[in-house]
Amino acid sequence: MSPPPVYFDHNATTSVGPEVLEAMLPFLMGNWGNPSSAYRFGHQLTETIDTARANVAALIHAEPRELIFTSCGTESINTAIHSALLSQPQKRHLVTTAVEHSATLKFCQQLEKRGFEITRLPVNPNGGLDLDLLEKSIRPETALVSVMFANNETGVIFPIAEIAMMCRSKGVLCHTDAVQAAGKIEIDVKQLGVEFLSLSGHKLHAPKGIGLLYVRRHTRFFPYIIGGGQERGRRGGTENVAYIAGFGRAAELAKERLPEMQARVRVLRNQLEAEILSRVPGTSRNGPDEPRLPNTSNIAFDEVEAEGILLLLDQAGICASSGSACTTGSLDPSHVLVAMGCSLERARASVRFSLGLATTEAEVNYLLGRLPTIVEKLRVNVPVSAGRLR
Ligand SMILES: Cc1ncc(COP(=O)(O)O)c(C=O)c1O
């Protein structure tokens, strides 16, 4: 196996932490029973699930009974939208934003084909929302407002508490995709006041394939995955005990290490960003300095294609990305940057660096040592004909 890369792509996914793996192993090897079984070998596992639920609940200040374990963030988001629509069959309009993850945008596209009306709110050049416009977009037939907490590409944070309050005053349900926010900024569902909130384990050092949907108490709920009576009848399917145990431990650690994310990681990110902007000519940040996740920096490099930068970084053992991982592989420019008014050239010339708790100063210095030469080399050898970018 090749050595682990110098990793600046924590918004795409994170490694499974050693303590997390340790929490999971007993349920993959020794105690692999089915929690629904009547005998102790299986039934004991309900305690493991309860402990994990309490730990994830503590991360977002929810009550354990308000949480439903799912297979991923995407399932949680789809489920929240599905439930909001089923609980109010007379309401056939949804409000969301143009910069959501495809889990929301593509689900909404499908709904549109089935006759639902979708309002996709635009963002300003800093990636921010116009709350007056949001308020005006809410109509009597609006079933749900679904707005992400923090953007995966730029790290821009939306004012969810204000949005939820607006929704509440108009009697409309509110969902937030908090997949990128968890473990990076404080999440308190009681302060936010949303009815639904989605999380994903693999963004905070749990494995890929485990997610969570928070459903505020007394909110009418209609399951999306129907089968057995697991999760108090709210999500069918035998529980993925090992992954749930891992998610619980990862949430516990994420809560403990939140101050480090907000201090040490933020300092490293700021240092990286400032150095790139000063050492590499023709660079600028996409999005505002604040309000922003402490780990994310999205930089446009004039007159060069991000694909080239990523390729040469990869050859130097460094991982970063352009756009979200789910759309990488296609040449489409990032829909988030385009929505912010970037030209197609600028969007194609932008790279996201996302740091994590594992990121060290030595890694930042290694990246800073390679990047200026890579950009210089590309500008000389592979010039972009379109000229200077916005
Ligand atoms: C903002 C956001 N929402 C949702 C998801 C989907 O989560 P999952 O990969 O667990 O389905 C992601 C993953 O990249 C994300 O960044």
Side-chain angles (χ1 to χ4, degrees), residues 92-141:
R92 296 183 65 81
H93 173 241
L94 275 119
V95 178
T96 187
T97 80
V99 295
E100 300 294 309
H101 187 267
S102 52
T104 302
L105 289 180
K106 296 245 171 92
F107 197 72
C108 286
Q109 262 173 29
Q110 288 298 317
L111 290 171
E112 231 164 12
K113 287 186 190 146
R114 287 165 38 201
F116 289 89
E117 250 193 283
I118 313 290
T119 299
R120 295 172 188 82
L121 296 168
V123 292
N124 63 30
N126 262 337
L129 281 175
D130 175 346
L131 293 192
D132 286 339
L133 184 62
L134 194 158
E135 189 164 22
K136 285 189 196 117
S137 307
I138 299 175
R139 319 177 194 154
E141 64 275 21

mmCIF file of all heavy atoms in Angstrom, residues 92-141:
data_model
loop_
_atom_site.group_PDB
_atom_site.id
_atom_site.type_symbol
_atom_site.label_atom_id
_atom_site.label_comp_id
_atom_site.label_asym_id
_atom_site.label_seq_id
_atom_site.Cartn_x
_atom_site.Cartn_y
_atom_site.Cartn_z
ATOM 1 N N ARG A 92 -47.815 21.640 -2.109
ATOM 2 C CA ARG A 92 -47.005 21.066 -3.198
ATOM 3 C C ARG A 92 -45.889 22.009 -3.653
ATOM 4 O O ARG A 92 -45.472 22.003 -4.802
ATOM 5 C CB ARG A 92 -47.913 20.662 -4.364
ATOM 6 C CG ARG A 92 -48.894 19.546 -3.950
ATOM 7 C CD ARG A 92 -49.755 19.078 -5.074
ATOM 8 N NE ARG A 92 -49.033 18.433 -6.156
ATOM 9 C CZ ARG A 92 -48.624 17.171 -6.168
ATOM 10 N NH1 ARG A 92 -48.839 16.403 -5.122
ATOM 11 N NH2 ARG A 92 -47.997 16.675 -7.212
ATOM 12 N N HIS A 93 -45.405 22.797 -2.696
ATOM 13 C CA HIS A 93 -44.319 23.744 -3.025
ATOM 14 C C HIS A 93 -43.189 23.626 -1.994
ATOM 15 O O HIS A 93 -43.446 23.466 -0.801
ATOM 16 C CB HIS A 93 -44.881 25.178 -3.022
ATOM 17 C CG HIS A 93 -43.833 26.240 -3.183
ATOM 18 N ND1 HIS A 93 -43.588 27.219 -2.244
ATOM 19 C CD2 HIS A 93 -42.950 26.478 -4.185
ATOM 20 C CE1 HIS A 93 -42.618 28.012 -2.653
ATOM 21 N NE2 HIS A 93 -42.213 27.584 -3.828
ATOM 22 N N LEU A 94 -41.950 23.676 -2.491
ATOM 23 C CA LEU A 94 -40.785 23.612 -1.599
ATOM 24 C C LEU A 94 -39.856 24.777 -1.884
ATOM 25 O O LEU A 94 -39.719 25.194 -3.044
ATOM 26 C CB LEU A 94 -39.985 22.346 -1.903
ATOM 27 C CG LEU A 94 -40.422 21.071 -1.222
ATOM 28 C CD1 LEU A 94 -40.805 20.064 -2.253
ATOM 29 C CD2 LEU A 94 -39.277 20.555 -0.392
ATOM 30 N N VAL A 95 -39.191 25.256 -0.832
ATOM 31 C CA VAL A 95 -38.177 26.303 -1.019
ATOM 32 C C VAL A 95 -36.826 25.712 -0.639
ATOM 33 O O VAL A 95 -36.691 25.102 0.426
ATOM 34 C CB VAL A 95 -38.463 27.538 -0.129
ATOM 35 C CG1 VAL A 95 -37.362 28.585 -0.297
ATOM 36 C CG2 VAL A 95 -39.824 28.137 -0.470
ATOM 37 N N THR A 96 -35.844 25.894 -1.516
ATOM 38 C CA THR A 96 -34.484 25.474 -1.195
ATOM 39 C C THR A 96 -33.526 26.500 -1.804
ATOM 40 O O THR A 96 -33.949 27.594 -2.163
ATOM 41 C CB THR A 96 -34.240 24.017 -1.662
ATOM 42 O OG1 THR A 96 -32.968 23.601 -1.173
ATOM 43 C CG2 THR A 96 -34.291 23.856 -3.169
ATOM 44 N N THR A 97 -32.238 26.178 -1.873
ATOM 45 C CA THR A 97 -31.306 27.149 -2.456
ATOM 46 C C THR A 97 -30.605 26.521 -3.660
ATOM 47 O O THR A 97 -30.590 25.298 -3.810
ATOM 48 C CB THR A 97 -30.220 27.608 -1.448
ATOM 49 O OG1 THR A 97 -29.203 26.599 -1.382
ATOM 50 C CG2 THR A 97 -30.801 27.855 -0.068
ATOM 51 N N ALA A 98 -29.985 27.398 -4.442
ATOM 52 C CA ALA A 98 -29.308 26.934 -5.653
ATOM 53 C C ALA A 98 -27.983 26.244 -5.330
ATOM 54 O O ALA A 98 -27.360 25.669 -6.212
ATOM 55 C CB ALA A 98 -29.048 28.123 -6.577
ATOM 56 N N VAL A 99 -27.542 26.321 -4.060
ATOM 57 C CA VAL A 99 -26.191 25.837 -3.741
ATOM 58 C C VAL A 99 -26.207 24.581 -2.859
ATOM 59 O O VAL A 99 -25.188 24.221 -2.280
ATOM 60 C CB VAL A 99 -25.340 26.948 -3.058
ATOM 61 C CG1 VAL A 99 -25.108 28.092 -4.019
ATOM 62 C CG2 VAL A 99 -25.997 27.442 -1.769
ATOM 63 N N GLU A 100 -27.364 23.924 -2.765
ATOM 64 C CA GLU A 100 -27.452 22.710 -1.939
ATOM 65 C C GLU A 100 -26.637 21.574 -2.552
ATOM 66 O O GLU A 100 -26.284 21.589 -3.738
ATOM 67 C CB GLU A 100 -28.920 22.269 -1.836
ATOM 68 C CG GLU A 100 -29.850 23.270 -1.210
ATOM 69 C CD GLU A 100 -29.587 23.555 0.263
ATOM 70 O OE1 GLU A 100 -29.493 22.597 1.044
ATOM 71 O OE2 GLU A 100 -29.480 24.736 0.616
ATOM 72 N N HIS A 101 -26.434 20.559 -1.740
ATOM 73 C CA HIS A 101 -25.809 19.315 -2.218
ATOM 74 C C HIS A 101 -26.793 18.617 -3.163
ATOM 75 O O HIS A 101 -28.013 18.817 -3.071
ATOM 76 C CB HIS A 101 -25.511 18.423 -1.009
ATOM 77 C CG HIS A 101 -24.734 17.198 -1.339
ATOM 78 N ND1 HIS A 101 -25.333 15.991 -1.635
ATOM 79 C CD2 HIS A 101 -23.405 16.985 -1.416
ATOM 80 C CE1 HIS A 101 -24.392 15.095 -1.876
ATOM 81 N NE2 HIS A 101 -23.210 15.668 -1.748
ATOM 82 N N SER A 102 -26.261 17.765 -4.029
ATOM 83 C CA SER A 102 -27.136 17.071 -4.988
ATOM 84 C C SER A 102 -28.181 16.189 -4.294
ATOM 85 O O SER A 102 -29.224 15.894 -4.884
ATOM 86 C CB SER A 102 -26.302 16.233 -5.965
ATOM 87 O OG SER A 102 -25.423 15.404 -5.252
ATOM 88 N N ALA A 103 -27.940 15.802 -3.051
ATOM 89 C CA ALA A 103 -28.937 15.001 -2.324
ATOM 90 C C ALA A 103 -30.260 15.769 -2.218
ATOM 91 O O ALA A 103 -31.342 15.175 -2.240
ATOM 92 C CB ALA A 103 -28.420 14.653 -0.928
ATOM 93 N N THR A 104 -30.175 17.065 -2.113
ATOM 94 C CA THR A 104 -31.380 17.901 -2.078
ATOM 95 C C THR A 104 -31.793 18.296 -3.499
ATOM 96 O O THR A 104 -32.951 18.135 -3.890
ATOM 97 C CB THR A 104 -31.111 19.199 -1.257
ATOM 98 O OG1 THR A 104 -30.703 18.820 0.055
ATOM 99 C CG2 THR A 104 -32.350 20.070 -1.174
ATOM 100 N N LEU A 105 -30.819 18.791 -4.269
ATOM 101 C CA LEU A 105 -31.167 19.339 -5.588
ATOM 102 C C LEU A 105 -31.754 18.289 -6.511
ATOM 103 O O LEU A 105 -32.759 18.519 -7.189
ATOM 104 C CB LEU A 105 -29.929 19.990 -6.219
ATOM 105 C CG LEU A 105 -29.472 21.297 -5.558
ATOM 106 C CD1 LEU A 105 -28.239 21.847 -6.251
ATOM 107 C CD2 LEU A 105 -30.588 22.342 -5.571
ATOM 108 N N LYS A 106 -31.144 17.101 -6.547
ATOM 109 C CA LYS A 106 -31.633 16.069 -7.465
ATOM 110 C C LYS A 106 -32.968 15.499 -6.997
ATOM 111 O O LYS A 106 -33.821 15.143 -7.809
ATOM 112 C CB LYS A 106 -30.587 14.954 -7.617
ATOM 113 C CG LYS A 106 -29.291 15.423 -8.262
ATOM 114 C CD LYS A 106 -29.070 14.746 -9.615
ATOM 115 C CE LYS A 106 -27.902 15.354 -10.368
ATOM 116 N NZ LYS A 106 -26.637 14.685 -10.125
ATOM 117 N N PHE A 107 -33.153 15.407 -5.680
ATOM 118 C CA PHE A 107 -34.441 14.920 -5.171
ATOM 119 C C PHE A 107 -35.531 15.916 -5.574
ATOM 120 O O PHE A 107 -36.625 15.526 -6.001
ATOM 121 C CB PHE A 107 -34.372 14.744 -3.648
ATOM 122 C CG PHE A 107 -35.467 13.889 -3.080
ATOM 123 C CD1 PHE A 107 -35.477 12.516 -3.275
ATOM 124 C CD2 PHE A 107 -36.508 14.458 -2.347
ATOM 125 C CE1 PHE A 107 -36.496 11.726 -2.742
ATOM 126 C CE2 PHE A 107 -37.524 13.677 -1.816
ATOM 127 C CZ PHE A 107 -37.520 12.298 -2.012
ATOM 128 N N CYS A 108 -35.204 17.205 -5.466
ATOM 129 C CA CYS A 108 -36.172 18.239 -5.851
ATOM 130 C C CYS A 108 -36.476 18.173 -7.352
ATOM 131 O O CYS A 108 -37.623 18.364 -7.767
ATOM 132 C CB CYS A 108 -35.671 19.629 -5.457
ATOM 133 S SG CYS A 108 -35.792 19.907 -3.687
ATOM 134 N N GLN A 109 -35.444 17.886 -8.140
ATOM 135 C CA GLN A 109 -35.670 17.745 -9.600
ATOM 136 C C GLN A 109 -36.681 16.641 -9.882
ATOM 137 O O GLN A 109 -37.562 16.771 -10.720
ATOM 138 C CB GLN A 109 -34.370 17.347 -10.284
ATOM 139 C CG GLN A 109 -33.612 18.492 -10.910
ATOM 140 C CD GLN A 109 -32.245 18.025 -11.413
ATOM 141 O OE1 GLN A 109 -32.057 16.861 -11.778
ATOM 142 N NE2 GLN A 109 -31.298 18.929 -11.408
ATOM 143 N N GLN A 110 -36.547 15.533 -9.155
ATOM 144 C CA GLN A 110 -37.480 14.413 -9.317
ATOM 145 C C GLN A 110 -38.891 14.835 -8.934
ATOM 146 O O GLN A 110 -39.863 14.484 -9.590
ATOM 147 C CB GLN A 110 -37.065 13.224 -8.422
ATOM 148 C CG GLN A 110 -35.838 12.488 -8.891
ATOM 149 C CD GLN A 110 -36.046 11.876 -10.265
ATOM 150 O OE1 GLN A 110 -37.092 11.309 -10.551
ATOM 151 N NE2 GLN A 110 -35.057 12.036 -11.124
ATOM 152 N N LEU A 111 -38.980 15.607 -7.837
ATOM 153 C CA LEU A 111 -40.300 16.060 -7.376
ATOM 154 C C LEU A 111 -40.952 16.964 -8.414
ATOM 155 O O LEU A 111 -42.161 16.902 -8.650
ATOM 156 C CB LEU A 111 -40.166 16.813 -6.051
ATOM 157 C CG LEU A 111 -39.804 15.948 -4.839
ATOM 158 C CD1 LEU A 111 -39.478 16.841 -3.641
ATOM 159 C CD2 LEU A 111 -40.942 15.000 -4.489
ATOM 160 N N GLU A 112 -40.127 17.795 -9.044
ATOM 161 C CA GLU A 112 -40.636 18.697 -10.077
ATOM 162 C C GLU A 112 -41.295 17.891 -11.195
ATOM 163 O O GLU A 112 -42.357 18.248 -11.696
ATOM 164 C CB GLU A 112 -39.478 19.510 -10.645
ATOM 165 C CG GLU A 112 -39.722 20.977 -10.668
ATOM 166 C CD GLU A 112 -38.433 21.768 -10.860
ATOM 167 O OE1 GLU A 112 -37.378 21.187 -11.192
ATOM 168 O OE2 GLU A 112 -38.503 22.999 -10.692
ATOM 169 N N LYS A 113 -40.647 16.773 -11.559
ATOM 170 C CA LYS A 113 -41.204 15.918 -12.615
ATOM 171 C C LYS A 113 -42.541 15.329 -12.198
ATOM 172 O O LYS A 113 -43.348 14.956 -13.025
ATOM 173 C CB LYS A 113 -40.225 14.778 -12.943
ATOM 174 C CG LYS A 113 -39.025 15.263 -13.713
ATOM 175 C CD LYS A 113 -38.142 14.112 -14.149
ATOM 176 C CE LYS A 113 -36.844 14.658 -14.698
ATOM 177 N NZ LYS A 113 -35.696 13.826 -14.432
ATOM 178 N N ARG A 114 -42.745 15.233 -10.870
ATOM 179 C CA ARG A 114 -44.019 14.697 -10.370
ATOM 180 C C ARG A 114 -45.013 15.805 -10.056
ATOM 181 O O ARG A 114 -46.015 15.594 -9.370
ATOM 182 C CB ARG A 114 -43.762 13.836 -9.132
ATOM 183 C CG ARG A 114 -43.098 12.506 -9.503
ATOM 184 C CD ARG A 114 -42.502 11.763 -8.324
ATOM 185 N NE ARG A 114 -43.284 11.838 -7.111
ATOM 186 C CZ ARG A 114 -42.798 11.626 -5.894
ATOM 187 N NH1 ARG A 114 -41.533 11.340 -5.738
ATOM 188 N NH2 ARG A 114 -43.574 11.696 -4.841
ATOM 189 N N GLY A 115 -44.740 17.024 -10.508
ATOM 190 C CA GLY A 115 -45.722 18.111 -10.411
ATOM 191 C C GLY A 115 -45.548 19.041 -9.222
ATOM 192 O O GLY A 115 -46.358 19.947 -9.028
ATOM 193 N N PHE A 116 -44.530 18.816 -8.396
ATOM 194 C CA PHE A 116 -44.294 19.748 -7.288
ATOM 195 C C PHE A 116 -43.605 21.000 -7.821
ATOM 196 O O PHE A 116 -42.918 20.945 -8.841
ATOM 197 C CB PHE A 116 -43.411 19.095 -6.211
ATOM 198 C CG PHE A 116 -44.112 18.010 -5.442
ATOM 199 C CD1 PHE A 116 -44.086 16.695 -5.892
ATOM 200 C CD2 PHE A 116 -44.811 18.307 -4.284
ATOM 201 C CE1 PHE A 116 -44.742 15.693 -5.196
ATOM 202 C CE2 PHE A 116 -45.477 17.307 -3.587
ATOM 203 C CZ PHE A 116 -45.448 15.997 -4.047
ATOM 204 N N GLU A 117 -43.792 22.102 -7.099
ATOM 205 C CA GLU A 117 -43.119 23.347 -7.503
ATOM 206 C C GLU A 117 -41.945 23.597 -6.577
ATOM 207 O O GLU A 117 -42.080 23.490 -5.346
ATOM 208 C CB GLU A 117 -44.101 24.499 -7.357
ATOM 209 C CG GLU A 117 -44.552 25.072 -8.684
ATOM 210 C CD GLU A 117 -45.257 26.380 -8.453
ATOM 211 O OE1 GLU A 117 -46.433 26.324 -8.025
ATOM 212 O OE2 GLU A 117 -44.639 27.432 -8.685
ATOM 213 N N ILE A 118 -40.803 23.925 -7.161
ATOM 214 C CA ILE A 118 -39.593 24.145 -6.359
ATOM 215 C C ILE A 118 -39.095 25.577 -6.565
ATOM 216 O O ILE A 118 -38.925 26.009 -7.704
ATOM 217 C CB ILE A 118 -38.449 23.179 -6.778
ATOM 218 C CG1 ILE A 118 -38.934 21.730 -6.903
ATOM 219 C CG2 ILE A 118 -37.247 23.316 -5.831
ATOM 220 C CD1 ILE A 118 -39.292 21.021 -5.632
ATOM 221 N N THR A 119 -38.848 26.300 -5.479
ATOM 222 C CA THR A 119 -38.170 27.598 -5.579
ATOM 223 C C THR A 119 -36.734 27.390 -5.129
ATOM 224 O O THR A 119 -36.488 26.933 -4.007
ATOM 225 C CB THR A 119 -38.843 28.651 -4.661
ATOM 226 O OG1 THR A 119 -40.196 28.801 -5.081
ATOM 227 C CG2 THR A 119 -38.125 29.994 -4.744
ATOM 228 N N ARG A 120 -35.792 27.708 -6.025
ATOM 229 C CA ARG A 120 -34.368 27.599 -5.670
ATOM 230 C C ARG A 120 -33.830 29.014 -5.483
ATOM 231 O O ARG A 120 -33.673 29.748 -6.458
ATOM 232 C CB ARG A 120 -33.580 26.894 -6.785
ATOM 233 C CG ARG A 120 -33.985 25.450 -6.985
ATOM 234 C CD ARG A 120 -33.327 24.851 -8.203
ATOM 235 N NE ARG A 120 -33.862 23.533 -8.496
ATOM 236 C CZ ARG A 120 -34.994 23.275 -9.161
ATOM 237 N NH1 ARG A 120 -35.726 24.283 -9.626
ATOM 238 N NH2 ARG A 120 -35.391 22.036 -9.365
ATOM 239 N N LEU A 121 -33.554 29.373 -4.241
ATOM 240 C CA LEU A 121 -33.128 30.750 -3.966
ATOM 241 C C LEU A 121 -31.716 30.992 -4.474
ATOM 242 O O LEU A 121 -30.835 30.144 -4.284
ATOM 243 C CB LEU A 121 -33.175 31.007 -2.461
ATOM 244 C CG LEU A 121 -34.571 30.936 -1.846
ATOM 245 C CD1 LEU A 121 -34.473 30.907 -0.329
ATOM 246 C CD2 LEU A 121 -35.419 32.122 -2.307
ATOM 247 N N PRO A 122 -31.500 32.151 -5.096
ATOM 248 C CA PRO A 122 -30.143 32.473 -5.562
ATOM 249 C C PRO A 122 -29.267 32.898 -4.379
ATOM 250 O O PRO A 122 -29.777 33.137 -3.281
ATOM 251 C CB PRO A 122 -30.376 33.673 -6.489
ATOM 252 C CG PRO A 122 -31.618 34.325 -5.964
ATOM 253 C CD PRO A 122 -32.470 33.229 -5.353
ATOM 254 N N VAL A 123 -27.965 32.972 -4.604
ATOM 255 C CA VAL A 123 -27.064 33.512 -3.575
ATOM 256 C C VAL A 123 -26.322 34.713 -4.161
ATOM 257 O O VAL A 123 -26.236 34.859 -5.383
ATOM 258 C CB VAL A 123 -26.040 32.462 -3.074
ATOM 259 C CG1 VAL A 123 -26.717 31.361 -2.284
ATOM 260 C CG2 VAL A 123 -25.211 31.889 -4.224
ATOM 261 N N ASN A 124 -25.782 35.554 -3.286
ATOM 262 C CA ASN A 124 -25.018 36.714 -3.759
ATOM 263 C C ASN A 124 -23.558 36.298 -4.032
ATOM 264 O O ASN A 124 -23.194 35.150 -3.763
ATOM 265 C CB ASN A 124 -25.153 37.878 -2.762
ATOM 266 C CG ASN A 124 -24.566 37.532 -1.404
ATOM 267 O OD1 ASN A 124 -23.620 36.747 -1.308
ATOM 268 N ND2 ASN A 124 -25.128 38.097 -0.351
ATOM 269 N N PRO A 125 -22.730 37.217 -4.544
ATOM 270 C CA PRO A 125 -21.345 36.823 -4.877
ATOM 271 C C PRO A 125 -20.548 36.293 -3.683
ATOM 272 O O PRO A 125 -19.542 35.605 -3.852
ATOM 273 C CB PRO A 125 -20.735 38.114 -5.431
ATOM 274 C CG PRO A 125 -21.904 38.865 -5.976
ATOM 275 C CD PRO A 125 -23.048 38.568 -5.055
ATOM 276 N N ASN A 126 -21.002 36.584 -2.463
ATOM 277 C CA ASN A 126 -20.327 36.025 -1.290
ATOM 278 C C ASN A 126 -20.943 34.705 -0.853
ATOM 279 O O ASN A 126 -20.619 34.179 0.219
ATOM 280 C CB ASN A 126 -20.397 37.019 -0.126
ATOM 281 C CG ASN A 126 -19.119 37.810 -0.027
ATOM 282 O OD1 ASN A 126 -18.070 37.369 -0.509
ATOM 283 N ND2 ASN A 126 -19.196 38.969 0.589
ATOM 284 N N GLY A 127 -21.889 34.212 -1.624
ATOM 285 C CA GLY A 127 -22.517 32.933 -1.283
ATOM 286 C C GLY A 127 -23.630 33.064 -0.267
ATOM 287 O O GLY A 127 -24.145 32.057 0.221
ATOM 288 N N GLY A 128 -24.014 34.311 0.075
ATOM 289 C CA GLY A 128 -25.041 34.517 1.101
ATOM 290 C C GLY A 128 -26.451 34.574 0.525
ATOM 291 O O GLY A 128 -26.646 34.787 -0.670
ATOM 292 N N LEU A 129 -27.442 34.388 1.414
ATOM 293 C CA LEU A 129 -28.851 34.384 0.998
ATOM 294 C C LEU A 129 -29.507 35.718 1.319
ATOM 295 O O LEU A 129 -29.152 36.362 2.303
ATOM 296 C CB LEU A 129 -29.606 33.320 1.788
ATOM 297 C CG LEU A 129 -29.471 31.863 1.368
ATOM 298 C CD1 LEU A 129 -30.212 30.994 2.374
ATOM 299 C CD2 LEU A 129 -30.027 31.653 -0.037
ATOM 300 N N ASP A 130 -30.508 36.088 0.529
ATOM 301 C CA ASP A 130 -31.324 37.259 0.810
ATOM 302 C C ASP A 130 -32.538 36.763 1.603
ATOM 303 O O ASP A 130 -33.438 36.120 1.048
ATOM 304 C CB ASP A 130 -31.741 37.888 -0.540
ATOM 305 C CG ASP A 130 -32.687 39.056 -0.372
ATOM 306 O OD1 ASP A 130 -33.240 39.232 0.735
ATOM 307 O OD2 ASP A 130 -32.884 39.778 -1.366
ATOM 308 N N LEU A 131 -32.541 37.042 2.916
ATOM 309 C CA LEU A 131 -33.609 36.495 3.767
ATOM 310 C C LEU A 131 -34.980 37.101 3.463
ATOM 311 O O LEU A 131 -36.004 36.446 3.665
ATOM 312 C CB LEU A 131 -33.260 36.657 5.243
ATOM 313 C CG LEU A 131 -32.067 35.835 5.741
ATOM 314 C CD1 LEU A 131 -31.989 35.845 7.253
ATOM 315 C CD2 LEU A 131 -32.081 34.397 5.239
ATOM 316 N N ASP A 132 -34.990 38.358 2.948
ATOM 317 C CA ASP A 132 -36.284 38.956 2.568
ATOM 318 C C ASP A 132 -36.891 38.165 1.421
ATOM 319 O O ASP A 132 -38.090 37.876 1.399
ATOM 320 C CB ASP A 132 -36.105 40.412 2.104
ATOM 321 C CG ASP A 132 -35.833 41.311 3.290
ATOM 322 O OD1 ASP A 132 -36.180 40.893 4.415
ATOM 323 O OD2 ASP A 132 -35.260 42.391 3.073
ATOM 324 N N LEU A 133 -36.006 37.791 0.485
ATOM 325 C CA LEU A 133 -36.485 37.015 -0.662
ATOM 326 C C LEU A 133 -36.978 35.642 -0.187
ATOM 327 O O LEU A 133 -38.004 35.134 -0.652
ATOM 328 C CB LEU A 133 -35.338 36.858 -1.675
ATOM 329 C CG LEU A 133 -35.681 36.164 -2.974
ATOM 330 C CD1 LEU A 133 -36.737 36.952 -3.743
ATOM 331 C CD2 LEU A 133 -34.424 36.015 -3.846
ATOM 332 N N LEU A 134 -36.229 35.071 0.757
ATOM 333 C CA LEU A 134 -36.645 33.766 1.293
ATOM 334 C C LEU A 134 -38.051 33.885 1.900
ATOM 335 O O LEU A 134 -38.940 33.087 1.612
ATOM 336 C CB LEU A 134 -35.638 33.299 2.349
ATOM 337 C CG LEU A 134 -35.709 31.831 2.778
ATOM 338 C CD1 LEU A 134 -34.374 31.389 3.374
ATOM 339 C CD2 LEU A 134 -36.804 31.512 3.758
ATOM 340 N N GLU A 135 -38.231 34.929 2.700
ATOM 341 C CA GLU A 135 -39.533 35.110 3.349
ATOM 342 C C GLU A 135 -40.642 35.270 2.301
ATOM 343 O O GLU A 135 -41.713 34.669 2.416
ATOM 344 C CB GLU A 135 -39.481 36.325 4.277
ATOM 345 C CG GLU A 135 -40.713 36.432 5.141
ATOM 346 C CD GLU A 135 -40.525 37.381 6.309
ATOM 347 O OE1 GLU A 135 -39.632 38.259 6.231
ATOM 348 O OE2 GLU A 135 -41.280 37.246 7.284
ATOM 349 N N LYS A 136 -40.333 36.058 1.265
ATOM 350 C CA LYS A 136 -41.351 36.291 0.222
ATOM 351 C C LYS A 136 -41.646 35.018 -0.568
ATOM 352 O O LYS A 136 -42.706 34.888 -1.181
ATOM 353 C CB LYS A 136 -40.872 37.392 -0.732
ATOM 354 C CG LYS A 136 -40.983 38.769 -0.122
ATOM 355 C CD LYS A 136 -40.709 39.854 -1.168
ATOM 356 C CE LYS A 136 -40.439 41.190 -0.497
ATOM 357 N NZ LYS A 136 -39.110 41.736 -0.733
ATOM 358 N N SER A 137 -40.694 34.108 -0.583
ATOM 359 C CA SER A 137 -40.888 32.876 -1.369
ATOM 360 C C SER A 137 -41.805 31.879 -0.683
ATOM 361 O O SER A 137 -42.284 30.939 -1.299
ATOM 362 C CB SER A 137 -39.545 32.181 -1.613
ATOM 363 O OG SER A 137 -38.646 33.086 -2.169
ATOM 364 N N ILE A 138 -42.011 32.065 0.619
ATOM 365 C CA ILE A 138 -42.864 31.131 1.361
ATOM 366 C C ILE A 138 -44.328 31.456 1.073
ATOM 367 O O ILE A 138 -44.749 32.603 1.222
ATOM 368 C CB ILE A 138 -42.562 31.189 2.874
ATOM 369 C CG1 ILE A 138 -41.097 30.798 3.125
ATOM 370 C CG2 ILE A 138 -43.503 30.286 3.660
ATOM 371 C CD1 ILE A 138 -40.641 30.928 4.567
ATOM 372 N N ARG A 139 -45.068 30.444 0.644
ATOM 373 C CA ARG A 139 -46.483 30.669 0.281
ATOM 374 C C ARG A 139 -47.360 29.760 1.137
ATOM 375 O O ARG A 139 -46.849 28.839 1.778
ATOM 376 C CB ARG A 139 -46.732 30.272 -1.166
ATOM 377 C CG ARG A 139 -45.680 30.660 -2.160
ATOM 378 C CD ARG A 139 -46.128 30.077 -3.505
ATOM 379 N NE ARG A 139 -45.071 30.081 -4.471
ATOM 380 C CZ ARG A 139 -45.023 29.219 -5.484
ATOM 381 N NH1 ARG A 139 -45.936 28.279 -5.627
ATOM 382 N NH2 ARG A 139 -44.036 29.293 -6.362
ATOM 383 N N PRO A 140 -48.663 29.959 1.068
ATOM 384 C CA PRO A 140 -49.543 29.084 1.861
ATOM 385 C C PRO A 140 -49.361 27.613 1.490
ATOM 386 O O PRO A 140 -49.552 26.730 2.329
ATOM 387 C CB PRO A 140 -50.957 29.570 1.502
ATOM 388 C CG PRO A 140 -50.772 30.958 0.994
ATOM 389 C CD PRO A 140 -49.406 31.030 0.378
ATOM 390 N N GLU A 141 -48.981 27.335 0.236
ATOM 391 C CA GLU A 141 -48.856 25.924 -0.175
ATOM 392 C C GLU A 141 -47.422 25.384 -0.026
ATOM 393 O O GLU A 141 -47.097 24.321 -0.533
ATOM 394 C CB GLU A 141 -49.380 25.726 -1.604
ATOM 395 C CG GLU A 141 -48.632 26.455 -2.705
ATOM 396 C CD GLU A 141 -49.084 27.899 -2.939
ATOM 397 O OE1 GLU A 141 -49.693 28.488 -2.029
ATOM 398 O OE2 GLU A 141 -48.800 28.444 -4.019
#
